[in-house]
Amino acid sequence: MKNEKCFIFDLDGTVVNPGTAIPRCINYALQKQGIKSVPIERLKRYIGFDLSSIFQELTKRKEKRFIKTCVESYRERFHSEGIAEHRLYPGIVGLLEAAKEKGSLIIASIKPQVSCDMVLDHLGIKPLFTSIYGSELNGKFSDKVELLKHVLKKEKIKNAYVVGDRGIDIEAAKKAGCISIGVSYGYGTKDELANAGADKIAETVGELRQCILGAE
């Protein structure tokens, strides 16, 4: 893969729209701890961040055992109901098929590896990707910079385009020495992506297709 173009995609908010799945799972975990649920729309802003930091912010607590229990409760609902609540963005399959003609496609998400595999299997697009990388259940690779550097080393990639919908995706791409394409049709705003230093910003799947097919 050293001389081949490579496109590294984030999952949630980029390829897949988790919709209400993530907010519902967060509320499920909060309710199991006797904490009042939070409006779904308010929780959508947390999509793309790691679960431990989300629960720390929402509960204002940092005890490791408590946060671990919240994360476990989240995953309980995620795997039993949340997977089925995910949807593909309209046009994304055609984009991925076209991009595959230009190079290799990889998923790099801080969502756990097992969850990435389950979502992609459910949606039927796993075969489009050369490799799929997620975090480990013990928290390893839950930092996007660490994850991207791991992917680049493991796949022996010299140059890559990183596509993501949050500022943390763009910042990680820059720190890992990759070209970044921000997508504002996900959960991050155009300003968030621009402030993070995105090399290009696509507001729609159609614009993302143009960015990828025009990649030199």
Side-chain angles (χ1 to χ4, degrees):
M1 198 177 292
K2 294 179 181 179
N3 300 315
E4 180 179 40
K5 276 192 178 60
C6 181
F7 301 97
I8 303 175
F9 290 83
D10 179 42
L11 187 60
D12 293 334
T14 303
V15 173
V16 171
N17 184 357
T20 58
I22 291 175
R24 284 177 177 172
C25 292
I26 292 172
N27 273 335
Y28 175 82
L30 293 176
Q31 289 166 358
K32 287 200 73 172
Q33 295 300 315
I35 300 172
K36 185 179 178 181
S37 61
V38 178
I40 295 291
E41 288 304 313
R42 182 186 158 203
L43 289 176
K44 285 184 178 180
R45 65 180 170 179
Y46 292 105
I47 294 175
F49 297 94
D50 78 279
L51 293 176
S52 293
S53 63
I54 291 172
F55 285 116
Q56 285 178 24
E57 182 170 334
L58 288 172
T59 64
K60 308 303 180 188
R61 293 177 62 174
K62 294 186 177 181
E63 306 96 292
K64 288 184 178 179
R65 180 171 293 182
F66 172 78
I67 297 300
K68 182 181 179 182
T69 299
C70 288
V71 171
E72 288 173 347
S73 295
Y74 171 99
R75 288 176 178 157
E76 179 184 309
R77 185 192 183 279
F78 187 88
H79 292 150
S80 65
E81 300 179 53
I83 298 292
E85 294 168 342
H86 288 67
R87 299 288 182 270
L88 289 168
Y89 283 107
I92 199 69
V93 173
L95 178 151
L96 293 172
E97 290 173 341
K100 196 171 176 66
E101 295 296 316
K102 291 201 59 125
S104 298
L105 310 185
I106 291 175
I107 286 287
S109 169
I110 60 172
K111 184 191 286 292
Q113 176 85 47
V114 62
S115 299
C116 291
D117 287 334
M118 290 174 74
V119 169
L120 293 168
D121 274 333
H122 170 71
L123 294 171
I125 60 169
K126 192 174 179 182
L128 288 173
F129 297 94
T130 302
S131 302
I132 298 162
Y133 291 86
S135 63
E136 296 180 9
L137 294 178
N138 63 8
K140 188 176 183 181
F141 301 129
S142 60
D143 175 83
K144 196 64 181 264
V145 179
E146 179 190 19
L147 176 64
L148 282 181
K149 288 183 177 180
H150 170 67
V151 172
L152 295 175
K153 182 177 181 181
K154 188 85 172 177
E155 298 289 333
K156 297 181 172 62
I157 299 168
K158 296 297 183 182
N159 300 295
Y161 293 81
V162 172
V163 185
D165 70 310
R166 301 305 307 244
I168 56 173
D169 298 316
I170 303 306
E171 291 165 0
K174 291 169 71 68
K175 289 177 181 177
C178 301
I179 298 168
S180 60
I181 303 175
V183 296
S184 61
Y185 59 76
Y187 292 91
T189 65
K190 190 174 181 180
D191 284 344
E192 177 184 335
L193 297 167
N195 290 338
D199 293 303
K200 294 183 179 180
I201 297 177
E203 296 187 55
T204 65
V205 172
E207 287 186 13
L208 176 58
R209 184 186 180 106
Q210 292 175 350
C211 288
I212 288 177
L213 295 186
E216 296 300 329

